[in-house]
Amino acid sequence: MSNVSGMVKLLRARHPFVRIVTDEEMEAVEVVRSAAAEFGLGVHIWSAVNGVTATDLANESAIAETNNAGAALVYWRRQIASGNPTVCVMLDLADHLHDPLVVRALRELAQHFTRLNAYFERAVPGQEMREGSRGTLVMIDHRSSVPPIVETKATLFEIAPPDEDELREMLRRTVSGFHREKAVEVALSKSAGELIIKNLRGLSRRQARLLIAESIAHDRKLDASDVHDVIAGKRMLMGRGGLLEFVQTPADLSGVGGLDKLKAWLSKREGAFRPEAAAFGLTPPRGLLLLGVQGAGKSLSAKAIAAAWKRPLYRLDPGVLYDRYVGETEKRLRDCLRQAETMAPIVLWIDEIEKAFASAAAQSTDGGLSKRMFGTLLTWMQEHAAPVFLVATANDIEALPPELLRKGRFDEIFFVDLPGPVARRQILQIHLRKRGRDPERFNLDVLVAATEGYSGAEIEQGVISALMHAFAASQAGSGGGGATGPAGGGGASADLSTQMLVDAFAASPPLSRTAREKIAALRQWALGDESLGLAARCVPAE
């Protein structure tokens, strides 16, 4: 297992001080215990509740008067470090590092282990050298914020989530365990089994084990229907963390109006993820930046990409990254990107990316936090190898750091403008069909003219508003009460009409009129202006 072998490597190299930041505490403890067993090392564990125990948290024979973090560190310094080789594990010690005495005791123990390990590295004639650490301090914490001196002295070790091979073995063991209790019917094809494994990626071992158990326990069966249970369970678990949100996408591109040039770009690159493309000398596409008018369809474009390539879409809201603890915000971003890689292949959508890095484009007003986060994102964009396609959307180009717009950061920068006549016709047809109306019953030429300057979102809201008026009119005509619609009239047979739609659009002027100057400036920046000698910076999406 990669986690255990990684910890074995640290112990073999005699690292005196290791930090693990994870929500899966017991999983981390087991990794340390398994690695220590490779060298015959004892493991002592400390928690504020139990103090120091010689085996694990279930051991009742704890060392007296070691509940205090400083007392436990001093105990190890005086009693254990001078005796048998030991791995000392401290749980949630970061919560106690506000006390300078605890920090001092921590540093002294780490320094003692450094000297102890260095002593046993010296060649002594006639004395057999013992492989592995003579003493290592391991901090396992749920948050990453620690004093700078602790951060610089410790080696950070990350617990990797299970890979597909481990998940397959976990599925087999869980089924066997349930079957020993009571017979379990397994009717799972190879493709359905691989789909379950694929959808378990990105979860911790505990979470994956629980989802497998839940799929079996309710009916003592494991079959193709459990694929949907696993997907639903994963969405729920992902939602609890609040970092990555699963987004439902159209089944295909027929549910997306307009965006013809973007669709053509996607179609040409769909095959670039296949092994044949790599043999041809191609590298897979890595991401797009979508600029555009608010409500014009940037979010729909992200969904169109996921629909075109048949990949799940996960949305990262930059607002959920920020945390009041120093260091936690950067950790959240790293966790998001790491989780996206483990769930690959996916489309990762960063909505309104300028919000996350508002201060990175100017003089920092947040202590350099935005710049550090921006640097983390740029490094990941450049170096990540997992098939994660990044889609970033933005409304305010002035808030974007120039480094993000440099060629090579994204495969392409598209400008999502207000839909033209052909796109507006498609959008009207989609939203009318979606609500059970046949578009052929309406005068689409009149509606296309009435929606000039409207975004896709505004057209959808206009259709909904007209439907509301039509419904109210039908209720009034049937004695159900309510007001008539904008076209007047009523009657039980009143239904949506072309005139109702025209009136609904006229009653709600589009953003292109109320913010004409701002949109014109954005369009000029993106598409250029020959009369002013301004070159285009973006490719039109439509």
Side-chain angles (χ1 to χ4, degrees):
M1 291 168 56
S2 60
N3 289 322
V4 174
S5 61
M7 183 59 66
V8 165
K9 184 178 179 180
L10 293 182
L11 296 180
R12 179 175 286 120
R14 297 183 172 90
H15 281 255
F17 188 12
V18 177
R19 289 178 59 226
I20 302 175
V21 182
T22 179
D23 293 332
E24 302 296 334
E25 180 181 275
M26 296 315 299
E27 182 177 319
V29 170
E30 285 305 311
V31 167
V32 175
R33 287 168 58 84
S34 298
E38 292 283 324
F39 304 102
L41 295 173
V43 177
H44 285 202
I45 300 178
W46 173 88
S47 76
V49 174
N50 295 290
V52 175
T53 58
T55 53
D56 55 38
L57 292 178
N59 193 326
E60 297 297 333
S61 59
I63 306 300
E65 298 181 355
T66 57
N67 296 77
N68 178 272
L73 291 163
V74 171
Y75 170 81
W76 275 325
R77 170 69 178 82
R78 293 176 178 173
Q79 303 296 326
I80 300 178
S82 60
N84 295 325
T86 305
V87 177
C88 304
V89 178
M90 304 203 76
L91 306 180
D92 291 337
L93 180 62
D95 293 331
H96 301 265
L97 293 180
H98 59 277
D99 185 345
L101 293 178
V102 175
V103 175
R104 183 68 250 174
L106 175 64
R107 293 180 63 188
E108 289 188 2
L109 179 60
Q111 289 165 7
H112 183 85
F113 282 161
T114 301
R115 291 193 298 270
L116 189 65
N117 289 332
Y119 173 79
F120 280 95
E121 286 174 359
R122 300 169 189 160
V124 180
Q127 181 177 337
E128 183 180 351
M129 294 299 295
R130 180 166 182 169
E131 186 184 32
S133 173
R134 303 294 296 181
T136 296
L137 175 64
V138 180
M139 286 177 57
I140 300 177
D141 290 285
H142 63 282
R143 63 184 180 92
S144 62
S145 55
V146 294
I149 187 62
V150 176
E151 188 170 13
T152 56
K153 295 296 182 184
T155 300
L156 190 63
F157 181 79
E158 295 182 352
I159 300 292
D163 59 19
E164 291 190 2
D165 289 338
E166 187 177 348
L167 288 169
R168 287 190 192 94
E169 178 61 20
M170 186 184 298
L171 179 63
R172 187 195 65 78
R173 288 199 311 267
T174 306
V175 171
S176 297
F178 271 85
H179 189 73
R180 283 194 295 270
E181 297 174 359
K182 186 180 178 181
V184 173
E185 180 185 342
V186 179
L188 199 63
S189 66
K190 184 177 180 180
S191 59
E194 289 302 305
L195 198 54
I196 286 179
I197 298 302
K198 179 180 177 182
N199 282 285
L200 289 173
R201 290 190 62 183
L203 299 177
S204 70
R205 287 160 183 81
R206 178 185 60 84
Q207 291 172 327
R209 196 176 295 111
L210 286 175
L211 281 188
I212 296 171
E214 288 175 6
S215 300
I216 300 170
H218 76 283
D219 59 0
R220 311 299 298 186
K221 291 181 180 179
L222 186 65
D223 53 27
S225 65
D226 290 310
V227 174
H228 302 289
D229 294 336
V230 170
I231 293 173
K234 182 176 181 179
R235 290 177 188 170
M236 183 178 66
L237 289 172
M238 296 288 293
R240 288 176 186 171
L243 297 180
L244 291 179
E245 173 193 358
F246 177 81
V247 178
Q248 193 68 45
T249 60
D252 53 53
L253 289 180
S254 63
V256 180
L259 307 176
D260 291 340
K261 290 185 178 178
L262 174 61
K263 291 177 181 177
W265 190 94
L266 295 173
S267 177
K268 288 180 181 178
R269 286 156 179 81
E270 184 176 4
F273 297 97
R274 299 172 185 165
E276 298 87 349
F280 194 74
L282 290 174
T283 56
R286 300 176 71 84
L288 289 177
L289 176 61
L290 303 175
L291 301 174
V293 179
Q294 190 170 3
K298 296 185 295 299
S299 301
L300 192 62
S301 300
K303 296 178 182 179
I305 294 168
W309 289 346
K310 302 295 188 293
R311 290 187 173 193
L313 176 65
Y314 285 90
R315 176 177 175 268
L316 167 59
D317 181 359
V320 306
L321 294 176
Y322 288 88
D323 192 279
R324 63 193 179 99
Y325 292 108
V326 176
E328 286 301 301
T329 299
E330 297 98 312
K331 175 182 176 294
R332 284 174 179 243
L333 178 58
R334 290 193 299 269
D335 288 346
C336 279
L337 298 176
R338 188 182 306 113
Q339 192 172 48
E341 290 187 50
T342 58
M343 293 190 298
I346 66 167
V347 175
L348 178 62
W349 170 25
I350 302 183
D351 193 20
E352 297 185 333
I353 192 171
E354 70 272 25
K355 287 184 178 179
F357 310 110
S359 299
Q363 187 66 32
S364 177
T365 58
D366 56 9
L369 175 60
S370 293
K371 291 183 183 295
R372 293 195 300 273
M373 290 180 65
F374 182 59
T376 298
L377 178 66
L378 290 185
T379 300
W380 178 83
M381 290 172 63
Q382 195 72 28
E383 297 181 358
H384 78 88
V388 177
F389 188 81
L390 177 64
V391 179
T393 61
N395 295 319
D396 186 1
I397 56 172
E398 295 180 357
L400 288 174
E403 300 93 323
L404 196 65
L405 302 175
R406 181 176 66 78
K407 286 292 184 183
R409 296 295 187 196
F410 293 95
D411 294 282
E412 195 60 84
I413 302 177
F414 278 95
F415 179 68
V416 184
D417 204 348
L418 295 171
V422 175
R424 293 202 301 277
R425 180 181 293 270
Q426 293 173 358
I427 293 169
L428 283 162
Q429 290 171 335
I430 288 170
H431 289 299
L432 287 169
R433 287 196 191 98
K434 185 177 178 180
R435 291 159 179 84
R437 267 61 178 189
D438 180 5
E440 299 303 321
R441 289 184 49 247
F442 300 87
N443 190 330
L444 291 177
D445 291 333
V446 171
L447 295 177
V448 167
T451 54
E452 183 177 0
Y454 284 72
S455 68
E458 290 167 336
I459 292 173
E460 180 181 14
Q461 289 305 309
V463 172
I464 293 172
S465 177
L467 274 170
M468 288 287 188
H469 286 299
F471 179 75
S474 67
Q475 292 297 294
S478 63
T484 59
S493 61
D495 193 14
L496 187 65
S497 66
T498 298
Q499 189 59 46
M500 285 183 177
L501 287 164
V502 170
D503 291 345
F505 291 129
S508 181
L511 184 68
S512 61
R513 296 178 195 167
T514 56
R516 180 182 291 112
E517 295 79 8
K518 184 176 180 179
I519 291 176
L522 178 63
R523 187 179 287 121
Q524 185 183 72
W525 183 93
L527 303 179
D529 189 330
E530 291 184 5
S531 64
L532 299 176
L534 299 176
R537 293 179 172 92
C538 305
V539 175
E542 185 177 331

